[in-house]
Amino acid sequence: MRYRQLGTSGLEVSEISLGCWTLGGLNWVNGDPNGWADVDEAEVKKAVDFALDAGVNHFDNADVYGNGKAERMLARVLGDKAKKMVVATKVGWFPGTAAHAYEPAHIRHQCEQSLVNLRRETLDLYYFHHGDFGPNDQYLDDAVAVMRKLKQEGKIRLIGQSAYSAGDFTRLVPKVGPDVLQSWGHIMDDQFIREGSPVRKLLDERKMSFVAFSPLNQGVLLGKFDPKNPPQFEAGDHRLGDQRFTSEGLTKVQPKIEKLKSRFGGGIPDLARVALQYPLASPVVACVIPGFRNLRQVQVNLQAADEPLSAEDVDYIRAAFKD
């Protein structure tokens, strides 16, 4: 396993780390589906033990993943090894009883609760989970102030900003001053890490790191879904109704997957290697955080840990997905 530094912090994370959204199972927030199909904790434990033996040292979580369930499950399966891990979590999607999830009192409460859930004295990395700070950013200044106060108190080590548009990043980074940015980063959409993009310029200028979630585009890039028999999802699973998993969406991407297979191999491990190593070809990406449900998924993902892509490979992939 190879490691990269988070910003200028000196804190190193495994290039392939693990995202914990799946651990929360089926979930709703304010009536909207926000989860995944339920997982088996015994399988999760096997997967995490294998990951630790392979050198994974970073787990990405959030208060909204199962509304605390994923944080508590991660703490249980890590056990005594948790203190040696780099653990990140987030605040912002779960509002509880607050008018807005970025109210300062709510941020402090959620930070304290995440510390309890994760059985830690300090959160290595604490993210604002999205870029919506209310109308005219009315909660922004106070939210940033309480986040910095939590850092001063030693409850968090690094501040992160997750967002879903370049506009949010360019607006918020100067005010938040994060050490790390997080968003999706994969073959089908690398807008935040592509050289010359506005967010990439921010990352370079401020010496921040980028953590890429959904590197497999939630499994779409593995070619494992049959367009003729698209997957079905339960209520409470955020993928229900997502166009990526419809027959039309899967049919559209299939020819591009075939191009990858022709160069890199047709097995799921081959495609996982390509998908995971593509974001890591960017020097601003500290790590990718694929989700996982079981031991097999982690084994497949970590099989690619020490097999980077060449510059020619990256060019080929971009050409295959240029449309």
Side-chain angles (χ1 to χ4, degrees):
M1 180 66 69
R2 302 188 305 180
Y3 301 85
R4 297 187 186 183
Q5 186 170 276
L6 289 174
T8 59
S9 68
L11 196 64
E12 291 191 335
V13 294
S14 47
E15 286 187 341
I16 299 179
S17 299
L18 293 177
C20 299
W21 188 6
T22 50
L23 275 55
L26 298 170
N27 192 39
W28 293 260
V29 176
N30 291 344
D32 296 322
N34 192 264
W36 293 77
D38 287 327
V39 297
D40 182 306
E41 187 166 335
E43 277 294 317
V44 170
K45 178 72 163 63
K46 292 177 186 176
V48 168
D49 286 346
F50 180 88
L52 297 180
D53 289 342
V56 171
N57 76 336
H58 172 218
F59 295 84
D60 181 90
N61 220 309
D63 60 354
V64 75
Y65 299 166
N67 296 350
K69 178 181 176 182
E71 291 178 331
R72 292 188 291 272
M73 187 182 294
L74 178 65
R76 288 194 299 269
V77 299
L78 284 176
D80 294 338
K81 298 177 181 178
K83 294 180 180 179
K84 298 179 180 179
M85 298 298 111
V86 177
V87 176
T89 195
K90 313 179 195 71
V91 62
W93 273 116
F94 177 73
T97 56
H100 192 283
Y102 286 151
E103 283 189 359
H106 181 74
I107 293 173
R108 178 171 287 278
H109 175 272
Q110 292 303 101
C111 178
E112 297 282 4
Q113 189 62 57
S114 288
L115 288 167
V116 171
N117 290 346
L118 291 163
R119 303 178 188 175
R120 297 176 68 88
E121 296 180 357
T122 302
L123 301 173
D124 295 303
L125 176 53
Y126 200 38
Y127 289 94
F128 289 120
H129 203 157
H130 57 78
D132 178 9
F133 286 84
N136 300 313
D137 284 341
Q138 69 181 83
Y139 295 100
L140 178 57
D141 290 343
D142 289 342
V144 171
V146 74
M147 190 72 90
R148 290 177 179 169
K149 181 66 171 172
L150 291 168
K151 187 174 182 179
Q152 291 171 2
E153 294 170 4
K155 296 184 185 297
I156 62 177
R157 294 180 65 180
L158 303 177
I159 296 171
Q161 178 67 60
S162 178
Y164 315 114
S165 73
D168 278 350
F169 279 128
T170 55
R171 186 183 89 257
L172 294 171
V173 165
K175 296 183 178 181
V176 175
D179 303 281
V180 179
L181 302 186
Q182 181 181 135
S183 196
W184 62 79
H186 54 74
I187 290 170
M188 296 173 69
D189 190 348
D190 64 353
Q191 62 176 295
F192 303 123
I193 57 176
R194 182 75 74 96
E195 190 169 1
S197 71
V199 177
R200 172 64 183 270
K201 290 178 181 178
L202 274 176
L203 288 159
D204 287 332
E205 291 169 0
R206 291 176 172 262
K207 295 181 171 56
M208 297 179 293
S209 289
F210 190 88
V211 171
F213 69 67
S214 198
L216 307 174
N217 200 8
Q218 300 191 357
V220 171
L221 287 168
L222 299 180
K224 64 180 184 177
F225 299 120
D226 183 356
K228 296 179 181 178
N229 185 28
Q232 303 299 310
F233 304 108
E234 303 172 72
D237 190 313
H238 79 284
R239 294 171 293 179
L240 182 64
D242 190 320
Q243 290 300 304
R244 286 177 294 178
F245 302 102
T246 63
S247 179
E248 182 181 3
L250 294 170
T251 298
K252 185 176 181 180
V253 76
Q254 194 171 37
K256 302 175 190 297
I257 300 293
E258 292 302 318
K259 289 182 180 180
L260 296 183
K261 290 180 178 180
S262 70
R263 182 179 178 95
F264 300 103
I268 285 180
D270 301 312
L271 294 173
R273 177 217 166 199
V274 174
L276 294 170
Q277 291 293 341
Y278 180 82
L280 290 170
S282 170
V284 297
V285 174
C287 63
V288 293
I289 49 171
F292 67 103
R293 301 182 57 79
N294 52 50
L295 173 61
R296 177 57 182 160
Q297 289 180 345
V298 171
Q299 289 173 328
V300 167
N301 289 340
L302 296 186
Q303 193 168 315
D306 297 314
E307 299 181 43
L309 299 172
S310 68
E312 292 77 16
D313 290 334
V314 171
D315 288 342
Y316 177 87
I317 294 164
R318 286 178 176 164
F321 280 81
K322 65 181 178 180
D323 297 329

